[in-house]
Amino acid sequence: MIVYLIRHAHAEDREAFKGRDLDRPLTEKGKVRAKRAFARFFNIYEKPAAVLTSAAVRSVETASIISELCGVKYDIRERLNPGAKIKDYLETVSDWRHASPLAVVGHEPDLSEVISFITGGKALRLQLKKGSIAHIEDSVLVNLIQQKALL
């Protein structure tokens, strides 16, 4: 199974945003950069059969960009909201194993913990930058691409 674990694109600053963290949107610059980077990524790599996202506005907006580029709908999974556990990601991906490649949009540090667990039994230390993509195939980390490398 191929899974793309994707950190949401650049969002409004947490400290400056007035409102709930789940309501924090992408910046205009974040949207423009995400469209350009994901378009390049999906010109190289296979497009996802499905896109899953947390319910956070910044993740939904990121998933929407991917969905539009790839011609698939996205599904919101609240269990992927910030603070999700490794088990939440593993069970969600397992429930969607029929959809490969599967794109999953989420948050840090949750995504790094999931990637580390899947590929190295928690031995791998990493941090996904905003808009980055971890391409995992059959529990092997094939590529880890920062958004800025696709711009």
Side-chain angles (χ1 to χ4, degrees):
M1 176 175 192
I2 298 171
V3 179
Y4 304 129
L5 295 176
I6 302 168
R7 185 173 179 195
H8 64 79
H10 188 76
E12 295 290 338
D13 186 63
R14 180 186 328 252
E15 288 76 30
F17 183 72
K18 305 289 187 222
R20 296 182 324 141
D21 183 56
L22 285 178
D23 296 331
R24 207 161 36 98
L26 297 180
T27 63
E28 285 307 311
K29 181 179 178 181
K31 291 176 187 177
V32 169
R33 291 177 63 136
K35 286 177 188 175
R36 188 176 330 143
F38 294 139
R40 288 189 176 156
F41 180 83
F42 293 117
N43 278 333
I44 299 167
Y45 294 92
E46 189 177 353
K47 292 180 180 176
V51 179
L52 305 179
T53 181
S54 83
V57 170
R58 58 194 178 275
S59 291
V60 171
E61 290 178 336
T62 302
S64 176
I65 292 167
I66 295 167
S67 294
E68 185 177 313
L69 287 168
C70 298
V72 296
K73 293 184 179 184
Y74 64 86
D75 286 295
I76 296 172
R77 296 287 177 251
E78 289 186 4
R79 71 187 307 184
L80 301 177
N81 284 359
K85 304 296 182 210
I86 293 170
K87 178 182 176 185
D88 296 321
Y89 275 88
L90 296 179
E91 289 176 356
T92 300
V93 168
S94 179
D95 290 346
W96 285 78
R97 64 185 167 277
H98 63 281
S100 180
L102 175 66
V104 181
V105 181
H107 308 271
E108 277 296 295
D110 313 339
L111 288 169
S112 291
E113 291 171 0
V114 171
I115 295 163
S116 179
F117 180 82
I118 291 171
T119 63
K122 290 193 173 185
L124 181 65
R125 291 180 40 91
L126 60 101
Q127 180 182 23
L128 254 58
K129 300 289 185 187
K130 292 174 183 158
S132 294
I133 304 165
H135 171 191
I136 299 173
E137 193 165 341
D138 298 326
S139 300
V140 174
L141 180 60
V142 176
N143 280 305
L144 180 57
I145 304 171
Q146 288 190 31
Q147 184 182 61
K148 67 181 178 180
L150 294 166
L151 297 176

